Amino acid sequence: MTEIALIRHGSTAWNKEKRSQGQTDNPLDQDGREQAVLLAARLAEESWDAIYASDLERASETARIIGDRLGIQEIHLDPRLREMGGGQVEGTTEEERLAKWGADWSTLDLGRELADAGTVRGSAVLEDIVQQHPDGRVIVVSHGAVLRNTLRGLVPELDISVKLSNTSITRIVKNENAWQCELYNCSVHLDSSRESQ
């Protein structure tokens, strides 16, 4: 059995502005770094074998913060873990999209990566990780849309209608030939910081 903790990166300025990031290489903001520190403290309560991450800065920095806390120096960067490509939509807000392309903008071909493509590449990475770490416990830091599309393929019965929160943990395990989701979109590690605000 291989256990994987799927992590969405910490927050960025564009997250707060509700701008589509896609594969634009934005860094974490200060809140995102603080979220990653809280997440790392939670993950440090358990034992982990390896960390994989998207090579985009917001994910790789989140992974480095986790690795520093866990004493795992090597972060395996994999471009297949990048966010879904947003095409012309990247950098825009919903309001800007409506103004530019109208209410049906989401039905237009604006160069965005298809959901199925995200499912295929995300699933391929996780299957490769299982091969590298049979019976291992692995952290994977990636992005909301590609993680949800990956889960849609691996655990079709899972309700993925709720978007993943920044630094949320989704735990999946592979038993023999089947994937199961044990935890979805959990960010209780952020509760203490919310209470102090």
Side-chain angles (χ1 to χ4, degrees):
M1 183 179 86
T2 303
E3 180 178 339
I4 299 179
L6 300 174
I7 308 291
R8 184 183 174 208
H9 61 80
S11 76
T12 70
W14 277 20
N15 284 148
K16 292 195 173 70
E17 295 168 12
K18 298 196 178 342
R19 289 189 184 280
S20 173
Q21 292 188 105
Q23 295 185 357
T24 302
D25 201 7
N26 292 321
L28 295 177
D29 61 15
Q30 189 54 38
D31 286 343
R33 290 182 190 97
E34 290 169 9
Q35 290 170 340
V37 167
L38 291 168
L39 169 65
R42 176 181 176 181
L43 291 169
E45 295 172 3
E46 301 174 65
S47 168
W48 298 95
D49 300 313
I51 302 175
Y52 288 74
S54 155
D55 59 348
L56 296 177
E57 180 64 22
R58 58 193 184 271
S60 62
E61 185 178 357
T62 302
R64 283 194 305 274
I65 291 168
I66 295 167
D68 287 347
R69 178 67 188 259
L70 300 183
I72 298 175
Q73 296 312 310
E74 185 179 9
I75 308 294
H76 303 275
L77 298 180
D78 193 322
R80 294 176 296 173
L81 289 168
R82 285 181 183 177
E83 182 57 295
M84 306 289 296
Q88 297 175 57
V89 170
E90 288 190 22
T92 66
T93 63
E94 177 73 13
E95 196 173 77
E96 290 166 347
R97 293 189 284 275
L98 290 170
K100 193 168 187 176
W101 297 298
D104 294 332
W105 72 266
S106 63
T107 64
L108 302 176
D109 177 10
L110 299 170
R112 292 179 298 154
E113 184 176 4
L114 298 175
D116 286 348
T119 302
V120 168
R121 66 180 167 88
S123 299
V125 179
L126 296 188
E127 293 292 354
D128 287 351
I129 289 171
V130 169
Q131 294 299 315
Q132 291 294 317
H133 304 275
D135 300 317
R137 301 186 78 236
V138 179
I139 294 166
V140 173
V141 185
S142 186
H143 308 265
V146 73
L147 286 176
R148 284 170 62 221
N149 281 311
T150 300
L151 287 164
R152 184 170 55 85
L154 296 179
V155 193
E157 67 278 10
L158 182 66
D159 177 8
I160 58 165
S161 59
V162 175
K163 291 190 174 182
L164 296 172
S165 306
N166 290 112
T167 69
S168 65
I169 299 176
T170 297
R171 284 182 193 266
I172 59 173
V173 293
K174 183 156 193 196
N175 286 306
E176 295 171 13
N177 294 320
W179 288 93
Q180 292 178 306
C181 182
E182 297 185 333
L183 183 70
Y184 182 74
N185 193 37
C186 181
S187 53
V188 295
H189 50 279
L190 301 181
D191 291 348
S192 59
S193 70
R194 288 190 189 114
E195 288 164 11
S196 63
Q197 288 175 351

Short mmCIF file of all heavy atoms in Angstrom, two decimals, residues 9-46:
data_model
loop_
_atom_site.label_atom_id
_atom_site.label_comp_id
_atom_site.label_asym_id
_atom_site.label_seq_id
_atom_site.Cartn_x
_atom_site.Cartn_y
_atom_site.Cartn_z
N HIS A 9 -0.70 24.08 -3.05
CA HIS A 9 0.28 25.09 -2.61
C HIS A 9 -0.37 26.16 -1.72
O HIS A 9 -1.59 26.34 -1.71
CB HIS A 9 0.90 25.76 -3.83
CG HIS A 9 -0.11 26.47 -4.69
ND1 HIS A 9 -0.61 27.71 -4.38
CD2 HIS A 9 -0.74 26.08 -5.81
CE1 HIS A 9 -1.50 28.07 -5.29
NE2 HIS A 9 -1.61 27.09 -6.17
N GLY A 10 0.47 26.93 -1.03
CA GLY A 10 0.01 28.05 -0.22
C GLY A 10 -0.49 29.20 -1.09
O GLY A 10 -0.34 29.20 -2.31
N SER A 11 -1.07 30.20 -0.45
CA SER A 11 -1.73 31.28 -1.19
C SER A 11 -0.74 32.23 -1.87
O SER A 11 0.41 32.37 -1.46
CB SER A 11 -2.67 32.08 -0.28
OG SER A 11 -1.94 32.94 0.56
N THR A 12 -1.25 32.87 -2.92
CA THR A 12 -0.49 33.86 -3.69
C THR A 12 -1.32 35.12 -3.81
O THR A 12 -2.51 35.12 -3.53
CB THR A 12 -0.19 33.34 -5.12
OG1 THR A 12 -1.42 33.30 -5.86
CG2 THR A 12 0.43 31.95 -5.11
N ALA A 13 -0.68 36.18 -4.27
CA ALA A 13 -1.41 37.44 -4.49
C ALA A 13 -2.55 37.23 -5.48
O ALA A 13 -3.65 37.76 -5.31
CB ALA A 13 -0.45 38.52 -4.99
N TRP A 14 -2.30 36.45 -6.52
CA TRP A 14 -3.35 36.21 -7.53
C TRP A 14 -4.51 35.41 -6.96
O TRP A 14 -5.65 35.59 -7.37
CB TRP A 14 -2.76 35.51 -8.76
CG TRP A 14 -2.12 36.48 -9.73
CD1 TRP A 14 -1.69 37.74 -9.46
CD2 TRP A 14 -1.83 36.24 -11.11
NE1 TRP A 14 -1.15 38.31 -10.59
CE2 TRP A 14 -1.22 37.41 -11.62
CE3 TRP A 14 -2.00 35.15 -11.96
CZ2 TRP A 14 -0.80 37.52 -12.93
CZ3 TRP A 14 -1.58 35.25 -13.27
CH2 TRP A 14 -1.00 36.43 -13.76
N ASN A 15 -4.24 34.49 -6.00
CA ASN A 15 -5.34 33.79 -5.34
C ASN A 15 -6.28 34.81 -4.70
O ASN A 15 -7.50 34.71 -4.83
CB ASN A 15 -4.83 32.85 -4.25
CG ASN A 15 -4.21 31.58 -4.77
OD1 ASN A 15 -3.30 31.04 -4.15
ND2 ASN A 15 -4.67 31.06 -5.90
N LYS A 16 -5.68 35.78 -4.01
CA LYS A 16 -6.51 36.77 -3.30
C LYS A 16 -7.29 37.65 -4.27
O LYS A 16 -8.40 38.08 -3.98
CB LYS A 16 -5.62 37.62 -2.39
CG LYS A 16 -5.05 36.82 -1.23
CD LYS A 16 -4.50 37.73 -0.16
CE LYS A 16 -4.08 36.95 1.06
NZ LYS A 16 -2.90 36.12 0.84
N GLU A 17 -6.69 37.92 -5.44
CA GLU A 17 -7.36 38.74 -6.45
C GLU A 17 -8.31 37.92 -7.31
O GLU A 17 -8.97 38.45 -8.20
CB GLU A 17 -6.31 39.40 -7.35
CG GLU A 17 -5.42 40.40 -6.62
CD GLU A 17 -4.22 40.82 -7.46
OE1 GLU A 17 -4.19 40.54 -8.68
OE2 GLU A 17 -3.29 41.43 -6.89
N LYS A 18 -8.36 36.60 -7.05
CA LYS A 18 -9.19 35.67 -7.82
C LYS A 18 -8.82 35.70 -9.31
O LYS A 18 -9.69 35.66 -10.18
CB LYS A 18 -10.68 35.94 -7.60
CG LYS A 18 -11.10 35.73 -6.15
CD LYS A 18 -12.59 35.62 -6.01
CE LYS A 18 -13.13 35.36 -4.63
NZ LYS A 18 -12.27 34.84 -3.62
N ARG A 19 -7.52 35.78 -9.58
CA ARG A 19 -7.01 35.72 -10.95
C ARG A 19 -6.64 34.28 -11.30
O ARG A 19 -6.02 33.60 -10.50
CB ARG A 19 -5.76 36.59 -11.12
CG ARG A 19 -6.03 38.04 -11.08
CD ARG A 19 -4.85 38.91 -11.46
NE ARG A 19 -5.26 40.29 -11.27
CZ ARG A 19 -6.02 40.97 -12.13
NH1 ARG A 19 -6.40 40.41 -13.26
NH2 ARG A 19 -6.38 42.20 -11.86
N SER A 20 -6.99 33.87 -12.48
CA SER A 20 -6.61 32.54 -12.96
C SER A 20 -5.09 32.49 -13.10
O SER A 20 -4.51 33.31 -13.81
CB SER A 20 -7.29 32.26 -14.30
OG SER A 20 -6.81 31.06 -14.84
N GLN A 21 -4.46 31.52 -12.43
CA GLN A 21 -2.99 31.45 -12.47
C GLN A 21 -2.49 30.52 -13.55
O GLN A 21 -1.53 30.83 -14.24
CB GLN A 21 -2.44 31.01 -11.11
CG GLN A 21 -2.67 32.07 -10.05
CD GLN A 21 -1.97 31.76 -8.76
OE1 GLN A 21 -0.96 32.36 -8.44
NE2 GLN A 21 -2.52 30.84 -8.00
N GLY A 22 -3.14 29.36 -13.69
CA GLY A 22 -2.67 28.41 -14.67
C GLY A 22 -1.20 28.12 -14.46
O GLY A 22 -0.74 27.87 -13.35
N GLN A 23 -0.42 28.20 -15.54
CA GLN A 23 1.01 27.90 -15.44
C GLN A 23 1.87 29.16 -15.31
O GLN A 23 3.10 29.08 -15.40
CB GLN A 23 1.43 27.04 -16.64
CG GLN A 23 0.74 25.68 -16.58
CD GLN A 23 1.17 24.72 -17.65
OE1 GLN A 23 1.97 25.04 -18.52
NE2 GLN A 23 0.62 23.51 -17.62
N THR A 24 1.23 30.32 -15.05
CA THR A 24 2.00 31.52 -14.74
C THR A 24 2.77 31.25 -13.44
O THR A 24 2.20 30.73 -12.48
CB THR A 24 1.06 32.74 -14.56
OG1 THR A 24 0.32 32.92 -15.77
CG2 THR A 24 1.86 34.01 -14.27
N ASP A 25 4.05 31.61 -13.41
CA ASP A 25 4.91 31.20 -12.30
C ASP A 25 4.94 32.23 -11.18
O ASP A 25 5.91 32.97 -11.03
CB ASP A 25 6.32 30.91 -12.82
CG ASP A 25 7.11 30.01 -11.88
OD1 ASP A 25 6.52 29.51 -10.90
OD2 ASP A 25 8.31 29.81 -12.13
N ASN A 26 3.89 32.25 -10.38
CA ASN A 26 3.78 33.21 -9.28
C ASN A 26 4.36 32.64 -7.99
O ASN A 26 4.22 31.45 -7.71
CB ASN A 26 2.31 33.57 -9.03
CG ASN A 26 1.73 34.36 -10.16
OD1 ASN A 26 2.38 35.21 -10.74
ND2 ASN A 26 0.48 34.07 -10.51
N PRO A 27 4.98 33.52 -7.15
CA PRO A 27 5.48 33.06 -5.85
C PRO A 27 4.36 33.06 -4.80
O PRO A 27 3.29 33.62 -5.01
CB PRO A 27 6.52 34.13 -5.50
CG PRO A 27 5.96 35.39 -6.12
CD PRO A 27 5.29 34.94 -7.41
N LEU A 28 4.64 32.42 -3.68
CA LEU A 28 3.76 32.52 -2.52
C LEU A 28 3.76 33.96 -2.01
O LEU A 28 4.75 34.66 -2.15
CB LEU A 28 4.24 31.61 -1.39
CG LEU A 28 4.24 30.11 -1.62
CD1 LEU A 28 4.84 29.40 -0.41
CD2 LEU A 28 2.85 29.60 -1.91
N ASP A 29 2.65 34.37 -1.39
CA ASP A 29 2.68 35.63 -0.65
C ASP A 29 3.00 35.29 0.81
O ASP A 29 3.22 34.12 1.15
CB ASP A 29 1.36 36.41 -0.81
CG ASP A 29 0.14 35.66 -0.30
OD1 ASP A 29 0.27 34.66 0.44
OD2 ASP A 29 -0.98 36.10 -0.64
N GLN A 30 3.06 36.29 1.67
CA GLN A 30 3.45 36.04 3.07
C GLN A 30 2.46 35.09 3.75
O GLN A 30 2.86 34.19 4.50
CB GLN A 30 3.57 37.35 3.85
CG GLN A 30 4.16 37.19 5.24
CD GLN A 30 5.52 36.47 5.23
OE1 GLN A 30 6.35 36.66 4.33
NE2 GLN A 30 5.74 35.58 6.20
N ASP A 31 1.17 35.26 3.48
CA ASP A 31 0.17 34.34 4.04
C ASP A 31 0.44 32.91 3.59
O ASP A 31 0.30 31.97 4.36
CB ASP A 31 -1.25 34.74 3.63
CG ASP A 31 -1.76 35.97 4.37
OD1 ASP A 31 -1.18 36.32 5.42
OD2 ASP A 31 -2.74 36.58 3.90
N GLY A 32 0.80 32.76 2.31
CA GLY A 32 1.08 31.44 1.77
C GLY A 32 2.24 30.77 2.47
O GLY A 32 2.22 29.56 2.76
N ARG A 33 3.28 31.56 2.78
CA ARG A 33 4.43 31.00 3.50
C ARG A 33 4.03 30.59 4.92
O ARG A 33 4.45 29.54 5.42
CB ARG A 33 5.57 32.01 3.55
CG ARG A 33 6.20 32.22 2.18
CD ARG A 33 7.39 33.19 2.17
NE ARG A 33 7.71 33.48 0.79
CZ ARG A 33 7.29 34.56 0.14
NH1 ARG A 33 6.56 35.48 0.75
NH2 ARG A 33 7.61 34.73 -1.13
N GLU A 34 3.21 31.41 5.57
CA GLU A 34 2.76 31.08 6.92
C GLU A 34 1.87 29.84 6.91
O GLU A 34 1.96 28.98 7.81
CB GLU A 34 2.03 32.28 7.53
CG GLU A 34 2.98 33.43 7.85
CD GLU A 34 2.27 34.74 8.20
OE1 GLU A 34 1.02 34.73 8.37
OE2 GLU A 34 2.96 35.77 8.30
N GLN A 35 1.02 29.72 5.89
CA GLN A 35 0.19 28.52 5.75
C GLN A 35 1.07 27.28 5.61
O GLN A 35 0.81 26.24 6.21
CB GLN A 35 -0.72 28.63 4.52
CG GLN A 35 -1.83 29.65 4.64
CD GLN A 35 -2.52 29.88 3.29
OE1 GLN A 35 -1.98 29.58 2.22
NE2 GLN A 35 -3.74 30.42 3.35
N ALA A 36 2.13 27.40 4.79
CA ALA A 36 3.02 26.27 4.56
C ALA A 36 3.75 25.86 5.84
O ALA A 36 3.96 24.66 6.08
CB ALA A 36 4.02 26.60 3.46
N VAL A 37 4.11 26.82 6.67
CA VAL A 37 4.76 26.51 7.96
C VAL A 37 3.80 25.74 8.86
O VAL A 37 4.19 24.74 9.50
CB VAL A 37 5.25 27.81 8.64
CG1 VAL A 37 5.64 27.57 10.09
CG2 VAL A 37 6.42 28.41 7.86
N LEU A 38 2.54 26.16 8.92
CA LEU A 38 1.54 25.46 9.74
C LEU A 38 1.29 24.05 9.21
O LEU A 38 1.17 23.09 9.97
CB LEU A 38 0.22 26.25 9.77
CG LEU A 38 0.28 27.58 10.53
CD1 LEU A 38 -0.98 28.41 10.26
CD2 LEU A 38 0.45 27.35 12.03
N LEU A 39 1.23 23.92 7.88
CA LEU A 39 1.05 22.61 7.26
C LEU A 39 2.24 21.71 7.58
O LEU A 39 2.07 20.53 7.93
CB LEU A 39 0.91 22.78 5.74
CG LEU A 39 0.97 21.49 4.92
CD1 LEU A 39 -0.21 20.59 5.24
CD2 LEU A 39 1.00 21.83 3.43
N ALA A 40 3.45 22.26 7.47
CA ALA A 40 4.66 21.48 7.74
C ALA A 40 4.66 20.95 9.17
O ALA A 40 5.05 19.80 9.43
CB ALA A 40 5.90 22.33 7.48
N ALA A 41 4.20 21.78 10.12
CA ALA A 41 4.13 21.34 11.52
C ALA A 41 3.17 20.16 11.66
O ALA A 41 3.44 19.20 12.40
CB ALA A 41 3.70 22.50 12.42
N ARG A 42 2.06 20.22 10.94
CA ARG A 42 1.09 19.11 10.98
C ARG A 42 1.70 17.84 10.38
O ARG A 42 1.60 16.75 10.95
CB ARG A 42 -0.18 19.50 10.22
CG ARG A 42 -1.20 18.38 10.13
CD ARG A 42 -2.42 18.82 9.34
NE ARG A 42 -3.36 17.72 9.18
CZ ARG A 42 -4.50 17.81 8.52
NH1 ARG A 42 -4.86 18.97 7.97
NH2 ARG A 42 -5.31 16.77 8.40
N LEU A 43 2.34 17.98 9.24
CA LEU A 43 2.93 16.82 8.57
C LEU A 43 4.09 16.22 9.37
O LEU A 43 4.36 15.02 9.28
CB LEU A 43 3.40 17.20 7.16
CG LEU A 43 2.28 17.52 6.15
CD1 LEU A 43 2.86 18.14 4.89
CD2 LEU A 43 1.47 16.27 5.82
N ALA A 44 4.76 17.05 10.18
CA ALA A 44 5.90 16.59 10.97
C ALA A 44 5.48 15.63 12.08
O ALA A 44 6.33 14.96 12.68
CB ALA A 44 6.65 17.78 11.57
N GLU A 45 4.19 15.52 12.33
CA GLU A 45 3.70 14.58 13.34
C GLU A 45 3.72 13.14 12.83
O GLU A 45 3.43 12.21 13.57
CB GLU A 45 2.28 14.97 13.78
CG GLU A 45 2.23 16.32 14.48
CD GLU A 45 0.82 16.81 14.74
OE1 GLU A 45 -0.15 16.07 14.41
OE2 GLU A 45 0.67 17.93 15.25
N GLU A 46 4.02 13.00 11.53
CA GLU A 46 4.04 11.67 10.91
C GLU A 46 5.38 11.46 10.21
O GLU A 46 6.17 12.39 10.07
CB GLU A 46 2.91 11.54 9.91
CG GLU A 46 1.52 11.75 10.50
CD GLU A 46 0.45 11.75 9.45
OE1 GLU A 46 0.25 10.70 8.81
OE2 GLU A 46 -0.16 12.80 9.23
#
